[in-house]
Amino acid sequence: MPAAANYLETLNPEQRRAVEHGIGPGVAAGPLLVIAGAGSGKTNTLAHRVAHLIVSGADPRRILLLTFSRRAAAEMARRVERISAQVMGTSSGAVTDALSWAGTFHGIGARLLREHAAQIGLDPAFTIHDREDSADLLNIVRHELGFSGAKSRFPTKGTCLAIYSRAVNAEAKLEDVLKTAFPWVGMWAAELKQLFAGYVEAKQSQSVLDYDDLLLYWAAMVRDPGIAVDLGARFDHVLVDEYQDTNRLQSSVLLALKPSGAGLTVVGDDAQSIYSFRAATVRNILDFPMQFTPAAHIVTLDRNYRSTQPILSAANAVIEQASERFTKNLWTERLSSDRPELVTVRDGADQARYVVERVLENREGGMALKAQAVLFRTSSHSGPLEIELTRRNIPFVKFGGLKFLDAAHVKDMLAVLRWAENPRDRVAGFRVMQLLPGIGPSSAGRVLDTMLEAASPLQALCDIPTPARGSEGWPNLIDVMQHLGSGKAGWPADLERARLWYEPLMDNIYDDAQVRQADLLQLQQIASGYASRERFLTELTLDPPDASSDQSGVPLLDEDYLILSTIHSAKGQEWKSVHVLNVVDGCIPSDLGTGSTHELEEERRLLYVAMTRAKDDLHLIVPQRFFVTQQRSGGDKHIYAQRTRFITKSMLSLFHDTMWPPAAPLNIVGIAPQPVRIDIGAQMRGMWVK
């Protein structure tokens, strides 16, 4: 196949081995692990493997491609389409449309659960709660159980949800989770079990699932041998991106789908496993070869196309100290004489000034602000820098702005649609009814109790007498709910009907209602790309776009701006120049990340990820003093710090080790040295001479 040979020739030998593994007449595609180092062309390799499968005769409808964002899945599908079209001459979009099982774990899980709902006792019309809605429902149960009135302060709803999520995703006992991750609430173990039991009952009675349920139910579903065999036979090939970021539930799903490993490909980098706080475990990728011994095949991609060799040499030295890893030393043909900068500064203020001066210096040299990034361990560490950037009138964006589902007005609109989709969804109904003037929590609660007990909750809502204090807007609410519940208008006309009902209420709720209306029109435009209300609600909940009314976006209307980002948010990104703040013990590694070996190793990987974001220019900054908030004592203070333990003395030759600002020279040209007027040293020595 000449055309195929041409496109495969663009790959390096290791990438081509990964792409061609197990593909060919009479060849069995055994389990494949691709260890893809930072900047090694991982996405390109995975896209070529999917395309090569299709070009070689695989049915794209029988390929399951799992990623960690819907955007990543869409980008992967586009690349596969381009490669396949080059070889097969297919019409635009044909392969992408056929590659219908490309998506996130949560998105694919939701689809499979709806298809098999009858077999597992689940209402196929279930709605999905995002994190905030889940926390709200937990809080309702928490209040009903009387824990909100406890004499000793009970954990907040956010903490409770974090504990629940960690326990189910890690498949760990609650006591173990509390001991390792939440020791300060260990005394509430019995009450938390009671709370979580009530939370599960509330979700089931209301036919709602949260994010964690999408994996929990999927994993439970494939424990049934019949369903597992049926689903496994449905897909000839299962490919997983970013395997180092999977948790135990996700791994158990894959092992149930492909217990022999036939047709299974996982791609990832153990050195970039940094999400244990989301219950991800590096053990999944480290243990993969043992799970399929001796069938597992490993291909290592260690050629880096991003960074210069001095940057890679320094990063390799950091990760070589890891206690357990797949041996991999990144290399590149991008040679340079410039070593990474290891810069010692006096304090956080000097650190901010140093970064600003280097950023402006780069800009004067022709490097755009967008090509530069400042990374930090924790969001609060960028405070002094943000002040300095604002003072110097340098525009910047800090990663982590609002999403659509975090914007209150969009949550209002989605609540209307979710309540129409599932009238038993108490959180959605509670939110919608309180949009009406005069309807408070008590009135809303009584209505929802009546609906929950009724055989037809929507009919019960219509039959309830108009509340005395909510008479003004009640008829319109009933009218819109009947309209949406009937489904007569179709999709996306339903959303327009809901928007027209909601917009008059916005003027009484929000001061900036006109700005927020732009989001609702954008939401309506997005909705037109989905086949149904159910699909729209599911996909938007699992992977929301940015909100146009986001107030934490670009602070200045400028076409160029500096990037500020936590290291976690920077994973997968790259910039020409990278500055890393606070490369000191107590920050990297964090004080909270030194309690165990696996925590310390993850902190080491975090520094490695930060270093490997840089293409040409890397600055690691070591303040001798930095400001910390003492959460337990309630006070703040400056502490003296030392260079991170991850950069040992033996590694210093890999860096340009400097002080900033540089010390003033002792003898300035043109000025005669001053004579010694008092020899204090001699006086000190003389004190001990008789």
Side-chain angles (χ1 to χ4, degrees):
M1 189 178 294
N6 289 338
Y7 86 81
L8 291 178
E9 286 173 2
T10 65
L11 306 172
N12 67 39
E14 290 75 23
Q15 291 173 333
R16 186 158 179 168
R17 282 176 53 212
V19 167
E20 294 184 309
H21 169 73
I23 300 177
V27 177
L32 172 65
L33 169 61
V34 181
I35 302 297
S40 63
K42 169 182 68 69
T43 303
N44 187 47
T45 302
L46 187 55
H48 272 79
R49 177 161 176 79
V50 176
H52 194 50
L53 283 168
I54 296 170
V55 168
S56 301
D59 185 346
R61 295 167 298 184
R62 295 179 58 80
I63 294 176
L64 174 60
L65 175 60
L66 294 163
T67 66
F68 274 80
S69 77
R70 192 158 52 88
R71 284 177 290 274
E75 172 59 25
M76 190 77 69
R78 283 192 292 269
R79 292 196 187 200
V80 171
E81 174 68 39
R82 287 196 297 268
I83 299 166
S84 303
Q86 174 187 342
V87 181
M88 303 170 66
T90 56
S91 59
S92 177
V95 172
T96 304
D97 292 342
L99 196 65
S100 57
W101 289 97
T104 65
F105 271 94
H106 293 87
I108 297 297
R111 288 177 62 185
L112 292 174
L113 290 177
R114 290 196 196 280
E115 286 190 9
H116 293 79
Q119 294 177 272
I120 59 176
L122 189 64
D123 183 348
F126 67 80
T127 49
I128 302 170
H129 276 187
D130 64 12
R131 291 296 183 193
E132 186 176 335
D133 289 331
S134 299
D136 287 344
L137 182 55
L138 249 177
N139 204 40
I140 292 172
V141 179
R142 176 176 174 268
H143 181 71
E144 290 174 347
L145 292 173
F147 295 152
S148 57
K151 293 181 180 179
S152 180
R153 188 168 63 90
F154 194 75
T156 64
K157 63 180 183 180
T159 300
C160 291
L161 183 63
I163 295 169
Y164 173 84
S165 185
R166 175 72 68 93
V168 298
N169 281 284
E171 295 186 320
K173 293 181 178 179
L174 176 61
E175 291 79 5
D176 293 338
V177 170
L178 294 179
K179 182 178 179 180
T180 58
F182 303 90
W184 59 92
V185 295
M187 76 290 293
W188 294 105
E191 289 82 0
L192 286 169
K193 284 185 178 179
Q194 188 179 355
L195 172 64
F196 296 155
Y199 174 57
V200 171
E201 288 181 6
K203 287 188 294 182
Q204 292 181 358
S205 68
Q206 298 172 34
S207 295
V208 299
L209 302 183
D210 60 24
Y211 279 151
D212 302 318
D213 288 331
L214 297 175
L215 298 181
L216 198 62
Y217 276 61
W218 189 4
M221 181 171 70
V222 294
R223 291 192 190 108
D224 179 274
I227 296 178
V229 169
D230 176 53
L231 284 181
R234 185 172 188 169
F235 303 109
D236 298 326
H237 301 277
V238 177
L239 303 98
V240 186
D241 194 13
E242 304 285 10
Y243 191 59
Q244 78 281 348
D245 294 334
T246 55
N247 59 39
R248 287 175 59 89
L249 274 178
Q250 290 161 327
S251 176
S252 64
V253 165
L254 293 174
L255 293 178
L257 291 178
K258 296 295 177 185
S260 69
L264 178 61
T265 298
V266 300
V267 182
D269 183 6
D270 55 297
Q272 297 186 69
S273 178
I274 58 174
Y275 292 112
S276 66
F277 65 92
R278 297 180 187 166
T281 172
V282 71
R283 297 270 23 126
N284 285 348
I285 193 166
L286 290 175
D287 294 343
F288 186 88
M290 291 179 285
Q291 290 169 330
F292 298 108
T293 301
H297 186 71
I298 302 175
V299 175
T300 301
L301 307 182
D302 55 7
R303 179 178 177 180
N304 179 283
Y305 293 90
R306 175 186 300 155
S307 308
T308 63
Q309 189 58 54
I311 291 174
L312 295 181
S313 296
N316 285 337
V318 167
I319 205 64
E320 278 174 4
Q321 306 299 314
S323 60
E324 186 179 5
R325 71 185 187 109
F326 288 108
T327 302
K328 171 183 74 279
N329 287 304
L330 298 179
W331 64 277
T332 183
E333 293 182 350
R334 297 193 63 222
L335 305 181
S336 172
S337 60
D338 296 330
R339 290 172 292 170
E341 299 280 345
L342 185 63
V343 186
T344 301
V345 297
R346 182 177 53 186
D347 53 25
D350 272 2
Q351 178 173 241
R353 285 191 288 272
Y354 172 80
V355 170
V356 169
E357 288 197 13
R358 295 290 81 78
V359 165
L360 291 176
E361 185 180 288
N362 287 339
R363 186 173 182 271
E364 288 301 310
M367 186 185 298
L369 292 177
K370 283 182 181 179
Q372 306 179 63
V374 183
L375 309 182
F376 30 86
R377 174 66 178 81
T378 303
S379 182
S380 60
H381 290 168
S382 67
L385 176 62
E386 293 179 46
I387 293 171
E388 184 69 10
L389 290 170
T390 302
R391 189 180 72 81
R392 302 283 287 272
N393 200 32
I394 300 173
F396 64 90
V397 167
K398 187 173 181 179
F399 273 60
L402 292 174
K403 300 293 186 182
F404 250 129
L405 291 186
D406 296 326
H409 54 295
V410 178
K411 288 185 69 68
D412 291 343
M413 178 62 64
L414 295 179
V416 176
L417 297 174
R418 281 217 326 270
W419 199 28
E421 185 75 12
N422 176 13
R424 297 188 188 279
D425 188 332
R426 191 178 183 88
V427 170
F430 205 72
R431 186 180 190 102
V432 172
M433 276 193 284
Q434 290 186 90
L435 295 173
L436 301 182
I439 301 294
S442 298
S443 299
R446 286 192 294 270
V447 172
L448 292 168
D449 288 341
T450 302
M451 293 176 66
L452 190 61
E453 296 169 359
S456 174
L458 185 57
Q459 185 60 48
L461 174 66
C462 298
D463 293 341
I464 291 172
T466 302
R469 298 183 60 186
S471 58
E472 181 181 344
W474 190 261
N476 288 338
L477 172 65
I478 298 302
D479 182 57
V480 74
M481 290 302 297
Q482 283 182 315
H483 185 89
L484 297 177
S486 69
K488 292 179 180 178
W491 183 256
D494 279 352
L495 195 149
E496 183 178 17
R497 177 68 178 85
R499 178 178 63 81
L500 293 174
W501 169 81
Y502 174 64
E503 282 184 344
L505 300 173
M506 291 179 67
D507 292 329
N508 297 325
I509 302 173
Y510 304 112
D511 293 332
D512 57 348
Q514 187 173 0
V515 175
R516 294 172 185 261
Q517 285 177 6
D519 279 341
L520 302 186
L521 291 172
Q522 183 182 358
L523 189 68
Q524 188 170 326
Q525 184 177 5
I526 293 171
S528 64
Y530 294 85
S532 67
R533 183 171 65 195
E534 171 267 308
R535 194 66 181 268
F536 169 76
L537 290 171
T538 298
E539 301 263 351
L540 199 68
T541 301
L542 296 179
D543 196 5
D546 294 330
S548 61
S549 59
D550 179 2
Q551 297 301 309
S552 63
V554 183
L556 295 176
L557 296 178
D558 198 297
E559 63 182 9
D560 194 17
Y561 44 82
L562 181 67
I563 304 298
L564 309 187
S565 175
T566 62
I567 300 172
H568 285 99
S569 296
K571 185 172 172 292
Q573 305 296 316
E574 59 181 38
W575 296 273
K576 287 185 177 181
S577 179
V578 170
H579 291 77
V580 186
L581 304 184
N582 294 335
V583 186
V584 296
D585 264 17
C587 180
I588 306 176
S590 163
D591 280 338
L592 298 177
T594 56
S596 63
T597 300
H598 77 267
E599 290 174 334
L600 193 62
E601 289 303 317
E602 179 156 327
E603 294 289 315
R604 186 194 310 279
R605 296 192 293 268
L606 202 62
L607 177 59
Y608 174 81
V609 167
M611 294 173 69
T612 53
R613 300 310 94 197
K615 294 181 178 181
D616 307 319
D617 188 29
L618 174 63
H619 300 250
L620 306 184
I621 310 172
V622 182
Q624 294 173 308
R625 299 170 68 236
F626 72 100
F627 190 72
V628 296
T629 298
Q630 304 292 303
Q631 293 182 348
R632 294 183 181 178
S633 65
D636 300 329
K637 66 177 183 179
H638 281 89
I639 65 172
Y640 287 91
Q642 62 181 10
R643 183 183 69 244
T644 175
R645 70 190 70 181
F646 301 140
I647 299 178
T648 63
K649 188 175 181 180
S650 64
M651 298 179 194
L652 293 180
S653 62
L654 299 171
F655 297 87
H656 182 216
D657 192 7
T658 62
M659 295 280 296
W660 191 91
L666 296 177
N667 187 10
I668 302 175
V669 176
I671 301 178
Q674 298 295 311
V676 176
R677 298 180 61 176
I678 304 174
D679 192 348
I680 296 178
Q683 292 180 11
M684 297 299 105
R685 294 191 299 273
M687 291 175 60
W688 308 102
V689 179
K690 292 184 179 179

